Amino acid sequence: MRHTEFWERMERHLGPAYARVWADRTVIGELDHRTAQEALDAGVPPKQVWRAVWQMLELPLSER
């Protein structure tokens, strides 16, 4: 997964205005207690970050 696909998915599920805010402010335990943005900035692959987001948001399996 590329960063662009990650952000497309985030915007699809949270809306374009809220996706970046959520990624900047929501701490996810599975990402070593970092936000999605912090994890991406630290070099965590977008696919791994998405899986953590997917789990936290309790999205359908089809969105994994």
Side-chain angles (χ1 to χ4, degrees):
M1 172 184 293
R2 296 175 186 257
H3 284 84
T4 53
E5 183 180 352
F6 172 84
W7 288 112
E8 287 170 1
R9 289 182 183 200
M10 290 288 289
E11 289 178 6
R12 184 169 62 240
H13 293 288
L14 297 172
Y18 188 55
R20 299 266 177 180
V21 172
W22 191 93
D24 281 336
R25 295 187 180 169
T26 304
V27 174
I28 303 173
E30 231 179 88
L31 297 174
D32 294 328
H33 300 283
R34 294 181 285 195
T35 66
Q37 186 64 61
E38 289 170 336
L40 291 171
D41 290 346
V44 177
K47 187 172 187 173
Q48 184 179 341
V49 176
W50 175 251
R51 285 189 179 167
V53 169
W54 169 83
Q55 185 175 16
M56 182 148 190
L57 293 176
E58 299 179 343
L59 297 172
L61 188 58
S62 62
E63 295 297 324
R64 188 169 179 218

